[in-house]
Amino acid sequence: MNLLSLTAVELGKKIHSKEVSVREAVEACCEQIEAVEPEIHSYVTTDREAALKKAEEIQKKIDQGELNGPLAGVPAAIKDNLCTKGWKTTCSSKILENFIPTYTAEAVGRLEEAGAVLLGKTNMDEFAMGSTTETSYFGVTKNPWNTKHVPGGSSGGSCAAVAAEECFYALGSDTGGSIRQPSSFCGVTGIKPTYGTVSRYGLIAYGSSLDQIGPVAKDVTDAAAILEVIASYDKKDSTSIRRRDTDFTSALKAEGKGLKIGIPKSYFGEGIETEVKTSVLHAAEVLKQQGAEVEEFDLGLVEYAIPAYYVIASAEASSNLARFDGVKYGYRTPDYEGLHDMYKKTRSEGFGAEVKRRIMLGSFVLSSGYYDAYYLKALRTKALIKQAFDEAFKTYDVILAPAAPTTAPKLGSSLNDPLKMYLGDIYTISANLAGLPGICVPCGKDKNGLPIGVQMLGNCFEEKKILQAAYTYEQTRTRERCDLAKKRDTAYGTEQKTIGEGAGR
Amino acid sequence: MVENRITDETMEYVGILAKLKLSQEEKEQAKKDMEKILDYIDKLNELDTDGVEPMSHAFDLHNVFREDRVENENQRDQMLSNAPEEKNGSFVVPKTVES
């Protein structure tokens, strides 16, 4: 048995039954990290010692019967915009290069209470602004399926770490598609929950009205189990919602009957790659064979989502990132004349180009004279987009779509034209504007061996319907691993490490 | 569609609001980028939004009130350990008030 091939829930069962120790699981991940990081670079920070120490603690609690949840003892990775007490939290930015939070994000704390062992912090686009993980101050992450390509973003490190089996699951954050798009590119399963489902306490804010934390996992069962743990009402987040229906694993039924699925016609027009289109529509066909009702429909206002999003997200970013001033934490410029010069030079040297671009755009659309024309106009557009979805969900349980118009682009091909990069967010952004939950699951690969994902959107608070649809679809397929060890074996003829032999020691 | 032209004065003003100091080259690039993005954003003008209330949150959210009580322990030293410069339990900033 190769330990790394297990899903989080499968591993949790083996840990529970004492077939595998927490230490063995952590060591397997650490060895994989050591082997593949030079090539993939999913992590900004890892701490083997801390993970092994935690493993002992968790093992004791499991042995004493204090911890018996499905994720107890399972090693995980955390996106580096989620605060972790005692672990550096950088947002992949120079300005937070040495920041060590004094508290842990609520979602991470809940995972730890459920017995998670943290392995490290994953790379991302700086402050989650980007779609390729190339804007990270610490260098790019590469797509494990083909290292000439990006993993997507902004949660590219989390998705690559799961795909490369450097952890059993990860947390990401999704402001405009940052969980679903890299999940699609890396062939993993990611969920952006309904806004307010997971506490944002301890998530370093980008666009507060759009940000939501969610799981990145190997399959739908894992994703549901993780979401069940991290979903909570939290008085420390004023936008947190008190929900009673967070028993998400109860929705894991292979049953297409009763599901009404809508396919927005306009999502399959200009700009989408043929292979992506074919693969996603095939997934719809499979769900139909499983008993779901599937039809095309006209979803309105699709072309207005991106401009509205970039106004709103940039406006909120310009306000949220005002706190980085070189006083209380983070980078401070070495040479300055007076307070304002210190602020300006600190920020100009500490932030990367894309972050500055969005702060400037945000400052502009919020400035007097432009506020009504841009910011309020975007908020009015958002209201209309929400109405269009409300209308669609009167008829459909699930909206099925691609997560991105293409598979993962080549490294270095996206950043020179920001507007073009923004247009790639067309299928994911509306869910953030309307607060909707969305899941992305693998549905195929293109001719270059790069994964394709299918996205399923549900109405607010109806995660269970998209989980059921995704699970039903997933049951018709075999999970494909991106087996880097095997790839290396083929390349170099080395032996694959297995438990009891190489890795068992 | 009217093409957006950002003047040097506007860029200067945005720099003040954003608290960023840009080199001449960065300024030129930022101006071009912003003009291009605003031209695209102007697409929103095609949409009739008269009488539509601006929506800041997807749900009807209300202010959440609670008692203003300190619940966490004193973390002054840990917090100061993140500061670029600290002295006598305080953050050090450049002199801002002339004596």
Side-chain angles (χ1 to χ4, degrees):
Chain A
M1 176 190 61
N2 181 351
L3 207 54
L4 295 177
S5 69
L6 299 174
T7 67
V9 168
E10 284 166 1
L11 175 68
K13 277 187 193 143
K14 288 194 190 293
I15 289 174
H16 188 73
S17 67
K18 308 276 192 287
E19 206 178 315
V20 174
S21 72
V22 181
R23 189 185 177 91
E24 278 175 317
V26 170
E27 279 184 338
C29 288
C30 290
E31 274 167 29
Q32 179 74 346
I33 288 170
E34 221 166 275
V36 309
E37 269 304 275
E39 200 181 356
I40 309 293
H41 189 230
S42 306
Y43 287 92
V44 172
T45 305
T46 53
D47 191 338
R48 189 181 182 135
E49 292 315 307
L52 287 172
K53 200 171 150 226
K54 189 81 181 175
E56 299 304 321
E57 253 173 65
I58 300 282
Q59 186 70 59
K60 241 178 241 161
K61 286 189 181 169
I62 293 170
D63 293 345
Q64 287 162 359
E66 280 172 54
L67 272 175
N68 42 31
L71 298 175
V74 180
I78 306 292
K79 186 175 180 179
D80 212 19
N81 60 354
L82 285 155
C83 286
T84 38
K85 190 175 178 172
W87 291 73
K88 250 195 250 178
T89 298
T90 70
C91 274
S92 288
S93 179
K94 179 181 179 180
I95 213 160
L96 281 178
E97 193 174 1
N98 295 311
F99 175 60
I100 301 176
T102 56
Y103 64 99
T104 294
E106 182 68 13
V108 179
R110 291 188 66 87
L111 282 182
E112 287 187 312
E113 272 168 41
V117 180
L118 303 194
L119 295 164
K121 307 295 296 289
T122 54
N123 200 15
M124 53 187 278
D125 280 295
E126 185 181 3
F127 283 100
M129 298 176 190
S131 314
T132 63
T133 313
E134 290 173 300
T135 70
S136 166
Y137 175 65
F138 303 107
V140 302
T141 297
K142 289 168 187 168
N143 193 312
W145 294 89
N146 183 335
T147 51
K148 290 191 174 67
H149 292 253
V150 303
S154 65
S155 310
S158 288
C159 294
V162 173
E165 300 181 334
E166 295 178 88
C167 61
F168 285 87
Y169 69 94
L171 288 188
S173 68
D174 191 314
T175 306
S178 282
I179 288 175
R180 293 160 287 155
Q181 181 257 35
S183 290
S184 178
F185 287 180
C186 290
V188 296
T189 298
I191 300 181
K192 179 232 166 251
T194 305
Y195 185 79
T197 300
V198 179
S199 167
R200 292 184 294 109
Y201 177 77
L203 169 69
I204 298 173
Y206 160 20
S208 314
S209 76
L210 309 160
D211 296 341
Q212 191 59 193
I213 298 161
V216 177
K218 291 185 180 180
D219 69 3
V220 180
T221 303
D222 280 6
I226 300 156
L227 184 57
E228 206 163 283
V229 172
I230 61 175
S232 73
Y233 170 73
D234 181 12
K235 65 177 181 180
K236 300 188 294 307
D237 171 2
S238 64
T239 60
S240 175
I241 291 169
R242 213 182 279 275
R243 291 181 65 171
R244 286 189 182 79
D245 58 341
T246 54
D247 54 330
F248 298 114
T249 49
S250 70
L252 301 172
K253 308 177 273 207
E255 175 64 75
K257 218 172 277 173
L259 285 175
K260 219 165 165 204
I261 297 174
I263 300 175
K265 269 185 237 165
S266 53
Y267 278 12
F268 293 86
E270 218 179 302
I272 186 169
E273 274 176 6
T274 315
E275 283 178 293
V276 173
K277 179 178 171 174
T278 311
S279 195
V280 170
L281 289 177
H282 181 256
E285 193 53 43
V286 168
L287 280 165
K288 201 170 170 181
Q289 284 157 14
Q290 298 301 311
E293 254 182 84
V294 180
E295 64 184 33
E296 292 189 334
F297 76 106
D298 289 308
L299 178 66
L301 306 172
V302 171
E303 67 268 43
Y304 302 105
I306 295 175
Y309 172 86
Y310 277 94
V311 171
I312 294 167
S314 300
E316 293 184 11
S318 74
S319 166
N320 278 324
L321 271 61
R323 69 185 55 146
F324 300 101
D325 58 4
V327 174
K328 298 182 289 301
Y329 36 68
Y331 173 80
R332 178 187 284 190
T333 183
D335 303 306
Y336 50 84
E337 285 163 39
L339 187 68
H340 285 273
D341 190 51
M342 189 277 279
Y343 286 155
K344 283 190 158 190
K345 281 175 85 176
T346 292
R347 291 164 60 80
S348 303
E349 293 164 17
F351 292 134
E354 184 59 31
V355 174
K356 285 190 244 187
R357 188 153 37 232
R358 294 195 199 187
I359 292 176
M360 282 190 280
L361 180 64
S363 303
F364 176 79
V365 299
L366 288 175
S367 65
S368 60
Y370 299 100
Y371 182 85
D372 286 16
Y374 288 104
Y375 185 61
L376 288 185
K377 181 80 186 179
L379 291 184
R380 291 190 167 95
T381 306
K382 175 178 171 168
L384 293 177
I385 289 170
K386 171 88 173 141
Q387 277 174 25
F389 277 103
D390 285 347
E391 199 53 45
F393 285 118
K394 280 182 190 162
T395 311
Y396 305 105
D397 298 310
V398 173
I399 292 176
L400 185 144
T406 65
T407 51
K410 277 215 163 104
L411 289 162
S413 66
S414 305
L415 297 188
N416 51 4
D417 189 349
L419 185 57
K420 195 179 150 209
M421 183 173 77
Y422 298 171
L423 297 180
D425 299 339
I426 177 92
Y427 305 125
T428 48
I429 260 171
S430 317
N432 300 80
L433 290 172
L436 312 172
I439 188 168
C440 178
V441 292
C443 69
K445 289 204 286 183
D446 73 2
K447 58 181 180 299
N448 298 318
L450 288 163
I452 301 168
V454 53
Q455 182 184 209
M456 301 179 199
L457 297 173
N459 203 355
C460 292
F461 311 113
E462 297 198 335
E463 278 86 353
K464 284 184 184 170
K465 283 185 180 158
I466 56 171
L467 282 167
Q468 186 186 333
Y471 183 77
T472 303
Y473 171 67
E474 186 185 67
Q475 293 307 301
T476 66
R477 308 177 83 243
T478 320
R479 184 167 68 87
E480 196 182 343
R481 291 173 58 209
C482 172
D483 198 335
L484 289 167
K486 200 172 155 192
K487 277 187 193 170
R488 271 197 312 276
D489 291 346
T490 334
Y492 307 113
T494 52
E495 269 176 48
Q496 190 180 339
K497 283 181 179 174
T498 52
I499 290 294
E501 296 163 35
R505 286 191 293 189
Chain B
M1 195 162 74
V2 189
E3 285 203 7
N4 286 283
R5 285 284 164 262
I6 305 280
T7 61
D8 289 340
E9 290 73 40
T10 306
M11 270 324 286
E12 207 58 47
Y13 183 52
V14 168
I16 291 168
L17 293 174
K19 282 261 183 291
L20 290 170
K21 191 174 202 163
L22 302 183
S23 67
Q24 200 50 45
E25 197 186 327
E26 279 181 305
K27 255 182 225 169
E28 285 306 315
Q29 188 58 44
K31 216 166 86 172
K32 265 189 238 156
D33 287 345
M34 194 129 89
E35 283 170 351
K36 198 170 163 192
I37 291 165
L38 289 174
D39 283 344
Y40 176 65
I41 288 170
D42 278 343
K43 191 170 175 56
L44 295 179
N45 293 330
E46 297 167 16
L47 210 56
D48 182 6
T49 53
D50 280 357
V52 180
E53 275 295 306
M55 178 191 258
S56 52
H57 272 279
F59 316 122
D60 199 14
L61 288 168
H62 300 282
N63 264 339
V64 181
F65 294 100
R66 60 170 168 78
E67 290 301 314
D68 187 15
R69 244 192 342 253
V70 177
E71 290 179 6
N72 45 353
E73 74 272 34
N74 187 337
Q75 297 180 311
R76 192 181 74 176
D77 292 343
Q78 289 109 291
M79 293 175 77
L80 278 172
S81 69
N82 271 311
E85 209 182 331
E86 51 115 358
K87 195 178 171 184
N88 302 334
S90 305
F91 297 110
V92 175
V93 292
K95 193 172 179 184
T96 50
V97 183
E98 298 298 325
S99 54

